[in-house]
Amino acid sequence: MVTAFVLGGGGVLGAVEVGMLRALLERGIVPDLVLGTSVGALNGAMVARQPELAVIDRLTELWAATAQGREVYGDKPLRTVRRAVSSGTHIYSSAPLRRRLEEELGDARFEDLPVRFEVCAASIERAAEHWFTSGPIVPAILASAAVPGLLPPAEIDGEHFLDGGLVNSIPVSRAVELGASRIFVLQVGRIDRPLKAPTKPWEVARVSFEVARRHRFMRDMATIPDGVEAHVLPAAGTSARDDSLRAHRDFGGVEARIDATYDASRAYLDGALGARPDQP
């Protein structure tokens, strides 16, 4: 059996994936393959490097520190306006995220990880889905998390990349292609939230993106071959405000979201796989 963890994108809501990982690792479910998009690439790198329960404490610390410092999206409004005018493409610098990743992952390479790990990004020049499978991990995560309009496109070997969510936000299909026979989908909770027609100009892009990413995910789930077991873990602690224009800056309640999603995911796994031997 080849077990895959598929970690989708979702910005600050990516914290809920930590709760899902805890529920999985507590049951002794360890991945043979980890696939990550955007913030899922960051969480995925951590678990692929350390596929054991101890990684949950480190992930929780990282998310809590990010919530307190707001390092990635912490610029003052005036500075973001100046950057938008000067760059013409983005309002935040990728330097804080790069520093955080380098502090945590250093010069780690895909080839050195104990678990196979792949990261999805969108190639601008080729207008195509691109999978990073070798080389340094930090540049790949930066490419996968380059949210259009918020962060600059990432340049790697002369090619430019944007957020992997544009092409494969929850890469279930990749897990199937690579031979996974059991797939655990770690998603941030937006896929089942009702969408409403946009009423303001700035809502159009967000709703359009949600339509595209959900359509791709639902199509991929519907075409999973017979014999492949797939589990979509539930997210908890998210709300309608997560879809607001300022949601990318809202790190409030990170630990509460992690805990709520852990409880929901543990209950799901108990129902789907049966209670653990140490449970009543």
Side-chain angles (χ1 to χ4, degrees):
M1 176 180 291
V2 176
T3 297
F5 286 5
V6 173
L7 294 94
V12 298
L13 295 183
V16 303
E17 294 176 350
V18 180
M20 298 173 184
L21 288 169
R22 178 185 170 192
L24 288 165
L25 294 173
E26 278 189 348
R27 292 187 67 96
I29 300 173
V30 178
D32 303 297
L33 170 67
V34 177
L35 305 172
T37 293
S38 197
V39 72
L42 189 158
N43 291 331
M46 297 290 288
V47 75
R49 183 182 64 169
Q50 187 182 9
E52 56 190 41
L53 195 55
V55 76
I56 300 304
D57 288 340
R58 185 57 190 147
L59 275 167
T60 302
E61 290 171 2
L62 283 173
W63 275 99
T66 300
Q68 293 172 6
R70 297 186 178 181
E71 298 173 40
V72 179
Y73 300 131
D75 282 347
K76 295 181 179 179
L78 181 58
R79 181 174 295 180
T80 62
V81 171
R82 288 174 176 169
R83 185 175 290 112
V85 172
S86 63
S87 72
T89 59
H90 57 280
I91 62 176
Y92 297 111
S93 169
S94 60
L97 177 58
R98 179 184 292 276
R99 284 195 297 269
R100 169 60 75 178
L101 291 172
E102 289 176 343
E103 289 172 2
E104 188 60 37
L105 297 169
D107 56 359
R109 301 175 64 85
F110 285 87
E111 299 91 334
D112 300 330
L113 299 177
V115 175
R116 183 177 181 179
F117 177 51
E118 297 191 359
V119 169
C120 180
S123 166
I124 294 177
E125 284 83 358
R126 291 182 287 115
E129 179 177 321
H130 177 84
W131 283 92
F132 291 95
T133 62
S134 62
I137 295 173
V138 169
I141 296 175
L142 286 170
S144 185
V147 182
L150 296 184
L151 295 171
E155 182 176 356
I156 300 176
D157 297 331
E159 189 170 4
H160 297 83
F161 298 92
L162 287 172
D163 194 301
L166 294 172
V167 288
N168 203 343
S169 183
I170 310 173
V172 173
S173 57
R174 181 70 172 181
V176 173
E177 290 171 10
L178 295 178
S181 53
R182 183 172 65 162
I183 302 171
F184 292 96
V185 180
L186 289 72
Q187 50 80 37
V188 302
R190 285 180 176 157
I191 56 174
D192 55 358
R193 183 177 303 162
L195 284 175
K196 296 180 181 179
T199 59
K200 300 177 179 64
W202 54 84
E203 292 179 347
V204 174
R206 177 186 61 77
V207 172
S208 299
F209 174 73
E210 281 297 315
V211 169
R213 72 188 291 270
R214 295 183 194 194
H215 170 75
R216 171 70 187 266
F217 175 67
M218 296 303 180
R219 185 192 66 185
D220 288 349
M221 289 297 294
T223 56
I224 290 178
D226 292 340
V228 176
E229 180 184 339
H231 299 278
V232 180
L233 299 184
T238 59
S239 67
R241 67 178 298 186
D242 302 322
D243 284 339
S244 71
L245 186 63
R246 298 179 181 178
H248 67 278
R249 294 172 59 93
D250 183 13
F251 285 88
V254 161
E255 293 188 57
R257 286 178 174 178
I258 292 174
D259 291 342
T261 298
Y262 162 70
D263 290 338
S265 295
R266 188 175 72 168
Y268 169 83
L269 292 172
D270 287 348
L273 305 180
R276 295 176 297 169
D278 60 338
Q279 289 182 324

